[in-house]
Amino acid sequence: MEFQFQFDWQAAINAIPYLLKGVPYTLLISFGGLAIGFVLGIIFGLLSINKKWFLRWPATAYIEIFRGTPILVQVLFIFYGLPDLVGGPIDPLTAGIAAIALNSGAYISEVVRGGVQSIDKGQTEAGLSLGLSRSQTFWSVVWPQAFRRMIPPLGNQAIVSIKDTSLFSVIGVGELVRQGQVYIANTFTAFEVYFVVAIMYLAITLSLSLVLRLIERRGLASV
Amino acid sequence: MTQIVQMQGMNKYFGTLHVLKEIDLTVEAGEVVVVIGASGSGKSTLIRCVNGLEEFESGKLVVDGNELAPKSGNPKALAEIRKEVGMVFQQFNLFPHLTVKKNIMLAPRKVKDAPETIANATAERLLNRVGIGSQADKFPSQLSGGQQQRVAIARALAMEPRLMLFDEPTSALDPEMIGEVLDVMRELAKEGMTMMVVTHEMGFAREVADRVIYIHEGQIVEEGKPADVFDNPQNERTQAFLSRVLAH
């Protein structure tokens, strides 16, 4: 018996409209989560370099816990575990956004810490010597320079988080992978469908890379 | 005369290292005091204490009527002092993300709430004064070292300081750029600015200083008029230091 496999272009094209329904969820979870994660990252990143131990320690604990455990376990914990604690079900979309927020927040904290610590302390001394307060010195002298250095690692984290949302098919959010799985269950065209799913992720991440590169180029021109 | 800086029995430690020992020093308004000494002698630390970039452990430090407590114990006085004392650093420490003009405008805008137009006019006037009016819209990285240091001086002057601190302002410069920075400092001294200068430029010290202070291992071992200190040093450690730096 001869085995022949042919890529069924028609099946791939037929799947596109159904798969596209997952894209808004993927984007919503990714960018919603990243937006909150960015805020968490600034807060905990700055706390993690604070001189006061009672601010530094909790921030460090948060970062280590969420960097040191798998995001799949985190989202399962939030979706299946937390309802026992809060006494009611948690919507899968909310659980997904929360998982991305908490997970990326931990990594972004480290990006913030690294960015801020990379700025020469002479910059702070110059600001202080001019009479600026500590917070004025930080926000108008150190932060703008640190932020510029944070753009490439932030872009990196955004791409990682976008791909991480694919894991949330396990809690039943209708994102890209989930849409693919449901479609395959009816058509048995796994090869074609996952191929299209992969292309769609690539389209999202490549667009993001392009935007980041433009921002970086504009930012670096003025240093 | 008015005393701008007054130090009495000041001590400073880095861990167990005693870097400033029982410093007694006063600087009068309009005076130019040059601090000399070997590297590691504590001369930079001494002037960094004046605007609180370094804390001291014991003793008294009064700057223009504001008394700093040991261990940065008086934040109000410290804030006042930093508004009134300008500082120029060895590495310039210009803000690389801001244009030359914005570097100068930042402190007047943020600290004194100066209106944009006034801060702008001040910046332009100061840039002309230090001879780089045409570079206002460039970024620091586009300027030579000497130009950057002159911007740094203009930036400090924008706060209309009562005292200027110079921490080895020419040590990071190529030799051909040292002159242009010293010229600006010389002008400033002539106009009556009170200055404390840490430098290895002995020619400048001899010409511009009203008083030269020699520091050795955290102690003031000799002080006097430049002619006396350079030509007739009393302390043998001053003699040894000067014979090493003046030999070439």
Side-chain angles (χ1 to χ4, degrees):
Chain A
M1 198 178 85
E2 200 176 303
F3 178 79
Q4 257 199 337
F5 179 80
Q6 276 211 315
F7 189 89
D8 185 347
W9 286 102
Q10 198 52 52
I13 291 163
N14 288 344
I16 290 174
Y18 190 80
L19 294 176
L20 278 177
K21 287 186 200 161
V23 172
Y25 286 100
T26 295
L27 294 177
L28 178 65
I29 299 169
S30 305
F31 290 102
L34 282 165
I36 303 168
F38 185 57
V39 175
L40 292 176
I42 293 175
I43 294 170
F44 287 101
L46 296 182
L47 288 178
S48 76
I49 46 178
N50 198 287
K51 279 192 197 125
K52 299 186 181 80
W53 66 268
F54 58 89
L55 296 175
R56 198 171 63 239
W57 287 9
T60 308
Y62 159 72
I63 293 165
E64 293 302 334
I65 288 168
F66 282 90
R67 277 197 320 167
T69 53
I71 189 167
L72 183 57
V73 175
Q74 290 164 15
V75 77
L76 290 173
F77 182 82
I78 292 169
F79 186 66
Y80 292 110
L82 271 192
D84 291 344
L85 192 75
V86 299
I90 292 176
D91 163 64
L93 190 64
T94 311
I97 291 174
I100 291 292
L102 289 165
N103 186 269
S104 71
Y107 284 95
I108 293 171
S109 296
E110 286 291 273
V111 170
V112 168
R113 182 178 67 82
V116 169
Q117 287 182 332
S118 76
I119 303 303
D120 186 76
K121 79 176 195 332
Q123 292 289 308
T124 300
E125 291 184 350
L128 294 177
S129 79
L130 287 164
L132 298 175
S133 67
R134 285 224 156 254
S135 73
Q136 284 175 326
T137 300
F138 182 78
W139 291 112
S140 48
V141 174
V142 177
W143 179 256
Q145 298 180 57
F147 184 71
R148 210 160 277 176
R149 292 188 189 179
M150 284 159 47
I151 293 172
L154 283 176
N156 207 25
Q157 181 56 44
I159 287 170
V160 169
S161 289
I162 289 168
K163 294 185 298 178
D164 280 348
T165 61
S166 65
L167 294 166
F168 302 164
S169 54
V170 298
I171 56 168
V173 192
E175 46 68 66
L176 252 171
V177 168
R178 177 74 180 178
Q179 289 297 101
Q181 287 171 338
V182 172
Y183 191 81
I184 291 162
N186 295 319
T187 61
F188 307 106
T189 50
F191 190 80
E192 288 80 2
V193 171
Y194 282 132
F195 182 78
V196 177
V197 166
I199 296 289
M200 286 181 175
Y201 277 109
L202 204 54
I204 297 171
T205 54
L206 285 178
S207 318
L208 182 65
S209 292
L210 191 73
V211 171
L212 286 165
R213 213 152 286 171
L214 289 174
I215 292 173
E216 234 180 284
R217 202 172 301 162
R218 269 190 48 199
L220 290 175
S222 56
V223 169
Chain B
M1 281 191 99
T2 331
Q3 288 180 345
I4 299 286
V5 180
Q6 190 191 357
M7 296 175 173
Q8 270 172 21
M10 226 179 68
N11 286 286
K12 158 85 188 162
Y13 297 83
F14 282 130
T16 55
L17 188 67
H18 199 172
V19 281
L20 292 178
K21 299 168 185 161
E22 293 294 320
I23 299 285
D24 292 315
L25 173 67
T26 53
V27 178
E28 307 280 344
E31 211 181 1
V32 176
V33 174
V34 170
V35 184
I36 60 172
S39 50
S41 59
K43 56 193 192 303
S44 283
T45 308
L46 177 74
I47 69 163
R48 286 165 58 85
C49 282
V50 174
N51 68 347
L53 289 184
E54 300 287 352
E55 304 177 335
F56 56 99
E57 270 65 37
S58 65
K60 189 176 169 182
L61 172 57
V62 184
V63 181
D64 203 21
N66 302 291
E67 183 166 349
L68 269 185
K71 288 271 172 203
S72 299
N74 192 347
K76 255 194 173 153
L78 183 59
E80 273 312 304
I81 288 170
R82 283 177 175 164
K83 280 182 214 167
E84 293 173 20
V85 178
M87 188 166 199
V88 174
F89 300 87
Q90 183 176 350
Q91 300 295 338
F92 328 138
N93 296 347
L94 291 179
F95 306 134
H97 61 300
L98 300 177
T99 62
V100 162
K101 195 194 266 181
K102 289 270 159 64
N103 261 271
I104 299 172
M105 289 169 66
L106 182 71
R109 295 279 287 138
K110 296 267 174 192
V111 180
K112 289 187 168 171
D113 258 325
E116 175 99 30
T117 48
I118 290 182
N120 190 58
T122 306
E124 282 175 2
R125 178 173 53 79
L126 288 169
L127 280 172
N128 285 327
R129 180 166 160 192
V130 299
I132 36 181
S134 58
Q135 319 280 352
D137 296 318
K138 289 192 177 167
F139 285 90
S141 60
Q142 296 170 291
L143 304 188
S144 72
Q147 290 174 323
Q148 289 190 47
Q149 194 60 301
R150 286 185 280 154
V151 172
I153 294 172
R155 179 177 70 176
L157 292 176
M159 287 298 284
E160 299 172 318
R162 299 261 289 150
L163 165 70
M164 284 283 283
L165 306 172
F166 292 86
D167 188 4
E168 302 202 28
T170 58
S171 298
L173 293 174
D174 290 336
E176 76 271 19
M177 293 171 184
I178 291 174
E180 63 194 59
V181 171
L182 293 181
D183 285 344
V184 171
M185 292 169 63
R186 206 173 277 127
E187 277 303 308
L188 213 51
K190 227 180 268 173
E191 289 162 22
M193 177 63 76
T194 312
M195 296 163 59
M196 289 181 79
V197 185
V198 171
T199 187
H200 295 290
E201 295 295 326
M202 297 303 157
F204 174 84
R206 186 188 281 269
E207 181 200 331
V208 180
D210 295 307
R211 189 151 44 112
V212 172
I213 288 170
Y214 174 66
I215 292 199
H216 179 80
E217 290 178 357
Q219 275 177 306
I220 297 177
V221 298
E222 184 139 2
E223 95 178 86
K225 290 196 180 311
D228 296 337
V229 174
F230 286 119
D231 300 332
N232 190 19
Q234 300 301 305
N235 190 293
E236 60 187 47
R237 281 170 301 210
T238 320
Q239 292 163 5
F241 174 75
L242 287 173
S243 71
R244 266 180 284 128
V245 296
L246 298 176
H248 48 269

